[in-house]
Amino acid sequence: MVERTLAIIKPDAVEKHAIGDIIRMYEGAGLRPIAIRMMSLSKACAEGFYAVHRERPFFNDLTTYMSSGPVVVLVLEGADAVKVNRDLMGATDPKKAEAGTIRALHGASIEANAVHGSDSVENAKIEISYFFAESELG
């Protein structure tokens, strides 16, 4: 089934000039970028996006990090896009990520782990609408 998912190339991967490689990995896995935007998240924007984690101890560090530099926000489309992207990203901790995954190749730590990806079809819809209007989706 064709799905859409949100992906964010995080500040650490942008700073390392890994954008092209990561997008090639998405495309190589059958995920087609249908919307893409480079932007800098304000602290308030990052807090809104990660509001579900507001009570977690890592919330402030996460939102500070996500607003520390430019990110690339993408909507990816493809068969089973959420699962394909989750598998392609690898484990949250790059040290535990399978070889060949985005996080194994480009992540540095649990926080600076190169990419974000929606964890369900339902959350993908919410996350996509946070950054893109329906009219912007190809």
Side-chain angles (χ1 to χ4, degrees):
M1 175 182 195
V2 174
E3 297 172 350
R4 290 179 175 170
T5 191
L6 185 86
I8 302 175
I9 302 174
K10 294 182 176 183
D12 61 297
V14 171
E15 186 177 333
K16 293 178 193 171
H17 305 282
I19 297 167
D21 188 48
I22 292 170
I23 292 174
R24 273 190 295 282
M25 292 177 75
Y26 292 145
E27 291 179 321
L31 300 173
R32 183 174 67 97
I34 61 166
I36 184 168
R37 171 178 295 135
M38 180 177 248
M39 61 191 301
S40 292
L41 302 181
S42 67
K43 180 85 154 109
C45 181
E47 288 173 347
F49 182 74
Y50 287 106
V52 67
H53 298 303
R54 187 170 302 280
E55 301 304 318
R56 307 287 294 272
F58 59 81
F59 178 75
N60 186 58
D61 289 343
L62 173 63
T63 56
T64 298
Y65 162 67
M66 288 299 291
S67 58
S68 69
V71 298
V72 177
V73 183
L74 305 97
V75 178
L76 303 171
E77 185 176 81
D80 298 313
V82 172
K83 181 182 182 337
V84 169
N85 188 41
R86 299 291 296 176
D87 291 346
L88 183 61
M89 287 191 313
T92 303
D93 182 348
K95 294 178 186 87
K96 296 178 181 173
E98 220 175 289
T101 61
I102 294 171
R103 288 176 171 156
L105 292 168
H106 297 291
S109 67
I110 289 176
E111 185 176 89
N113 62 8
V115 289
H116 163 90
S118 303
D119 63 2
S120 69
V121 172
E122 297 76 24
N123 283 341
K125 289 177 184 172
I126 294 165
E127 291 181 353
I128 289 167
S129 70
Y130 194 83
F131 292 106
F132 295 96
E134 187 64 34
S135 61
E136 296 177 287
L137 305 178

